[in-house]
Amino acid sequence: MKPFLLIVEDDESLGETLKERLLKENYKVLLSKTVQDAKLAFVTHKPNLVILDLRLPDGTGFSVAEFIKEKSPNTPFLFLTAQAGAQERLKGFELGAHEFIPKPFHLKELLIRLELVIQRSMQTFGKDWRCGEIEIHLDSYSLRTPTGEDIFLSKRDCALLELLLSQPDHVYSRDEILDHIVGEDSFPTQRTIDNAIVRLREHLGESSIRNVRGVGYQWIGPIEAM
């Protein structure tokens, strides 16, 4: 699953263009136009990555970056701005920016650089999710119920769940799944996969994973990043 992006851009036309294109690339996107709105959106929605303009109506993108570092030091951010002189770039990187992209820019270049930031920061994405009232913690191979009970998954079942969550719009064939979990079982078979799906559905609900007859499985349950 691609990360949730917050774009902080006061140019309404540019902001909407970026949002529309990134939505087409299967990102979840939120747009803010001021420092105050950006800080509120960051705390409320907890995006995985932030794209910052520098010149904003009520301050600068630097103040948003400082706020991000204070509230969530591991959240990556990059600057996309016309103010791209040496001093601005230096301050941006000192704050921890992963990229500093000057305007005007080519949209394809932004997408490429964004993907590179995501690849470098993959350890911060896609490990903690919420499915309805159930928390999913892939790093600790566990689920947490609304009552606070922890349910621990096997390494194999957790690997399968992580694969399904990585691309919810994709139907994974049994062969793809077997390739992914190879080594988690001495002799994995299609029955191994089916049994793992049964266990995951018991914990996450029958409507969480779809069985596509003759093909494989697809994640269809409600899911949001924590």
Side-chain angles (χ1 to χ4, degrees):
M1 181 178 290
K2 288 193 173 182
F4 172 26
L5 308 180
L6 171 61
I7 302 174
V8 185
E9 172 60 65
D10 68 327
D11 184 322
E12 186 171 353
S13 177
L14 176 58
E16 291 297 336
T17 297
L18 287 174
K19 181 178 179 180
E20 181 180 351
R21 179 57 189 273
L22 289 166
L23 286 171
K24 287 182 179 179
E25 297 291 327
N26 296 317
Y27 291 97
K28 182 180 177 182
V29 184
L30 185 65
L31 179 62
S32 293
K33 300 175 184 177
T34 67
V35 170
Q36 183 177 357
D37 287 347
K39 291 179 178 180
L40 179 61
F42 186 82
V43 171
T44 303
H45 299 283
K46 297 179 175 60
N48 302 121
L49 188 148
V50 183
I51 299 175
L52 294 166
D53 189 12
L54 265 186
R55 185 178 296 169
L56 298 168
D58 56 343
T60 73
F62 290 140
S63 65
V64 181
E66 290 168 349
F67 182 83
I68 292 170
K69 296 298 289 184
E70 176 186 349
K71 297 295 183 181
S72 180
N74 292 325
T75 300
F77 59 89
L78 59 88
F79 288 100
L80 181 66
T81 177
Q83 293 180 278
Q87 288 186 337
E88 289 83 6
R89 294 198 308 273
L90 180 59
K91 183 172 182 178
F93 287 124
E94 285 178 342
L95 285 172
H98 282 62
E99 279 282 3
F100 205 108
I101 305 173
K103 296 177 181 176
F105 62 94
H106 195 287
L107 193 53
K108 183 64 175 178
E109 179 187 1
L110 171 63
L111 293 174
I112 291 172
R113 292 200 187 194
L114 183 59
E115 286 291 341
L116 290 174
V117 170
I118 292 168
Q119 289 173 18
R120 293 197 299 266
S121 309
M122 277 303 291
Q123 67 272 17
T124 67
F125 299 139
K127 295 299 182 181
D128 297 294
W129 302 96
R130 181 174 283 109
C131 174
E133 295 184 335
I134 298 175
E135 296 180 6
I136 300 171
H137 301 286
L138 298 174
D139 274 342
S140 58
Y141 304 95
S142 67
L143 309 174
R144 176 163 292 181
T145 70
T147 62
E149 176 189 1
D150 288 322
I151 299 170
F152 295 100
L153 304 175
S154 70
K155 188 177 180 181
R156 180 182 60 229
D157 289 2
C158 194
L160 172 54
L161 178 58
E162 183 171 14
L163 177 67
L164 294 175
L165 290 175
S166 67
Q167 293 189 64
D169 58 340
H170 180 69
V171 178
Y172 285 94
S173 70
R174 287 176 171 81
D175 285 341
E176 285 181 289
I177 295 172
L178 282 173
D179 287 343
H180 186 75
I181 66 173
V182 66
E184 309 303 338
D185 191 286
S186 298
F187 300 99
T189 65
Q190 292 193 0
R191 176 57 62 183
T192 302
I193 298 169
D194 296 338
N195 290 338
I197 292 292
V198 169
R199 289 189 293 271
L200 291 174
R201 282 173 170 165
E202 286 177 353
H203 300 311
L204 298 166
E206 288 295 321
S207 60
S208 59
I209 301 171
R210 171 191 176 209
N211 179 10
V212 181
R213 188 178 297 275
V215 182
Y217 294 99
Q218 177 189 16
W219 178 268
I220 57 169
I223 195 71
E224 62 177 339
M226 290 181 60

